[in-house]
Amino acid sequence: MKILLNQMTVFRKESADQMSVLIEDGRIVSLSKEVPALSGAQVIELKNGYLFPGFVDVHVHLREPGFSYKETIATGTRAGARGGFTAVCPMPNLKPVPDSLEHLQPQLEAIRRDAVIHTHPYGAITVGEKGERLAALEELAPYVVAFSDDGRGVQNPERMKEAMRRAKALGKLIVAHCEDESLVNGGYIHYGEYARAHGHRGNPSASEWKQVERDLELVRETGCTYHVCHVSTKETVAHIRKAKAEGLDVTCETTPHYLVFNDSMLQEDGRFKMNPPIRGEEDRQALIAGILDGTVDMIATDHAPHAAEEKAGGLEKSFNGIVGLETAFPVLYTELVRPGVLSLEQLVDLMYTNPAKRFGIGSPIEEGAVADLTVFDLDASYSVDPKEFQSMGKSSPFTGRTVFGKCLLTISGGEIAWQAEGGNTP
């Protein structure tokens, strides 16, 4: 099958030119400033479009198997495609937890059957994500992108050290949800001005950065490759900056909601509740500074859908987690690129180049490469409306926000994974 993407602006490191892209048998076969004369190709006119490499999200929750009432592989990957992502990495807090090849199989089968974009699962670090015994890392390694117990911090340092040693021997990343549970003290939002003013129990920043500090010491001992999930505090940024200066093989991610909101902007609504919580303005500014100096390597969404009733308990009683696949690029383009905080090239590095390089997934815009592409109309503005989401989850702190950047088309492996209504496909 041939697909011709006709006359859009193609983003590449060295230029942004009006070009046509011909795709055949799943790969880019030509990039040309001239419109090729073809017969038998599906032609998609994209004159207002801006073509990017398909984005890579290394931190999502697709909920299948075990929690398909929240999300499925089918709905979650469609949400990813609508957001411009062509590769996602689902976390292992599932049922069964993928802590052995046997327990990973139901997820692999669902991915093969239903995924519309590339889906690279994690294996668990410990059995059942309970932090007690290590999972079957050796048998999982050929089938998973990395190891994580996301949703739970590994509390036992000796257990984490052994996981790092074994992951290093297998050539796999340890991807850590860093949370010292002894310091949370029942807190469910940031321990800051909002919590004190509104009578909420606060979760201190130390619950995150103390475990990052511990893990970095273990990285020094073991030499493993290590990645920190959903960084939210200024202290974490400082620790990672220092570790990188020492030459440790460490990377980290943050999320759109930590870059846009601080805790003074919280509302008494479950769509503002996630873990780690939205923290203070100094933390937000530290994250932006960390992006600008290269300490923060990438942006992930931590897309975490729940049923409506699970998010209806306000800040105190709602489940942790919000959806983010369908809003990430437009929110970041609107809030960071358009005001000049970041360049468009820097945003593409955060959403494609850096995660693709670190995790070994994704595909560039070049002849011969797998056709993993997304096209946005950067001038299109609209209000975020969860009723339009492909995700089963509808809880978003960006609801009602006006953003720029509408996804017109996403192609994954040479197949159309998402196309906005009204697209021209004669």
Side-chain angles (χ1 to χ4, degrees):
M1 180 182 177
K2 296 180 181 179
I3 301 174
L4 177 63
L5 309 182
N6 211 15
Q7 290 298 290
M8 77 233 121
T9 302
V10 176
F11 175 89
R12 293 191 292 176
K13 284 286 187 182
E14 64 274 13
S15 64
D17 300 315
Q18 283 287 117
M19 303 181 82
S20 295
V21 179
L22 179 62
I23 299 165
E24 187 173 1
D25 296 329
R27 294 186 177 271
I28 299 170
V29 295
S30 76
L31 292 160
S32 174
K33 294 185 179 180
E34 305 297 324
V35 179
L38 289 174
S39 61
Q42 179 181 4
V43 180
I44 304 177
E45 299 289 347
L46 293 160
K47 61 182 179 180
N48 295 322
Y50 211 110
L51 182 137
F52 300 99
F55 304 138
V56 174
D57 190 343
V58 302
H59 191 143
V60 302
H61 300 267
L62 300 186
R63 305 302 192 196
E64 185 181 6
F67 305 94
S68 295
Y69 70 94
K70 301 173 189 275
E71 188 82 289
T72 65
I73 297 293
T75 61
T77 58
R78 284 202 305 268
R82 184 174 182 259
F85 293 92
T86 56
V88 292
C89 302
M91 287 295 180
N93 52 343
L94 301 167
K95 188 176 181 179
V97 171
D99 51 19
S100 66
L101 185 54
E102 178 186 359
H103 288 167
L104 179 65
Q105 285 299 339
Q107 187 183 10
L108 293 177
E109 290 168 9
I111 290 168
R112 284 191 292 266
R113 184 182 66 240
D114 295 332
V116 301
I117 59 177
H118 305 293
T119 304
H120 306 275
Y122 281 91
I125 294 173
T126 65
V127 174
E129 290 195 319
K130 294 179 179 179
E132 297 167 359
R133 294 182 292 117
L134 291 187
L137 305 186
E138 287 76 13
E139 69 179 44
L140 287 167
Y143 305 93
V144 299
V145 69
F147 298 115
S148 181
D149 267 8
D150 187 62
R152 298 286 301 275
V154 177
Q155 303 303 301
N156 185 307
E158 289 302 316
R159 199 76 62 250
M160 182 59 107
K161 184 192 294 187
E162 181 59 25
M164 288 181 176
R165 286 177 174 152
R166 285 170 59 181
K168 180 185 178 184
L170 293 165
K172 289 291 183 180
L173 275 164
I174 288 288
V175 177
H177 172 114
C178 289
E179 183 176 23
D180 184 332
E181 294 172 2
S182 72
L183 300 177
V184 174
N185 295 324
Y188 48 86
I189 66 170
H190 177 57
Y191 183 72
E193 291 297 325
Y194 188 95
R196 290 188 286 272
H198 294 82
H200 290 296
R201 292 193 299 278
N203 177 342
S205 296
S207 67
E208 174 181 298
W209 69 259
K210 280 286 190 181
Q211 195 163 90
V212 172
E213 182 181 50
R214 180 206 73 178
D215 279 2
L216 291 173
E217 185 56 43
L218 298 178
V219 172
R220 290 183 185 98
E221 292 183 44
T222 63
C224 86
T225 51
Y226 177 76
H227 178 82
V228 186
C229 293
H230 43 49
V231 168
S232 71
T233 79
K234 62 184 186 293
E235 293 90 350
T236 298
V237 174
H239 280 298
I240 294 169
R241 182 180 289 117
K242 181 174 181 285
K244 287 188 170 190
E246 293 175 24
L248 298 185
D249 193 352
V250 172
T251 53
C252 70
E253 71 197 40
T254 193
T255 73
H257 42 280
Y258 303 134
L259 294 168
V260 172
F261 295 108
N262 63 48
D263 70 332
S264 74
M265 303 173 188
L266 292 176
Q267 298 177 27
E268 294 293 316
D269 191 304
R271 63 194 177 93
F272 287 86
K273 187 179 183 185
M274 69 288 295
N275 187 30
I278 291 167
R279 299 200 184 271
E281 178 63 12
E282 288 186 0
D283 300 292
R284 190 182 77 86
Q285 291 296 335
L287 291 168
I288 292 172
I291 284 173
L292 294 173
D293 71 12
T295 300
V296 177
D297 304 89
M298 61 195 78
I299 296 174
T301 65
D302 195 6
H303 176 85
H306 293 291
E309 59 272 18
E310 293 172 340
K311 295 297 291 181
L315 289 175
E316 181 179 0
K317 295 183 180 178
S318 292
F319 284 32
N320 283 311
I322 58 170
V323 295
L325 282 166
E326 295 170 78
T327 56
F329 180 82
V331 163
L332 294 166
Y333 178 72
T334 303
E335 299 294 334
L336 298 181
V337 176
R338 284 174 64 90
V341 179
L342 295 179
S343 68
L344 184 57
E345 181 175 328
Q346 286 172 312
L347 182 56
V348 173
D349 283 345
L350 291 161
M351 295 188 68
Y352 162 72
T353 312
N354 297 345
K357 181 179 179 181
R358 182 61 159 169
F359 284 76
I361 54 182
S363 189
I365 302 175
E366 59 185 39
E367 291 182 358
V370 173
D372 291 336
L373 306 166
T374 188
V375 183
F376 277 78
D377 181 346
L378 296 180
D379 295 323
S381 66
Y382 56 97
S383 178
V384 174
D385 182 358
K387 291 194 293 293
E388 298 177 356
F389 288 172
Q390 294 295 299
S391 174
M392 291 166 64
K394 309 300 181 186
S395 185
S396 167
F398 300 108
T399 296
R401 205 176 189 92
T402 298
V403 295
F404 287 82
K406 178 182 180 182
C407 186
L408 303 179
L409 179 74
T410 299
I411 290 181
S412 179
E415 301 287 336
I416 296 173
W418 166 260
Q419 187 169 12
E421 290 184 12
N424 186 358
T425 56

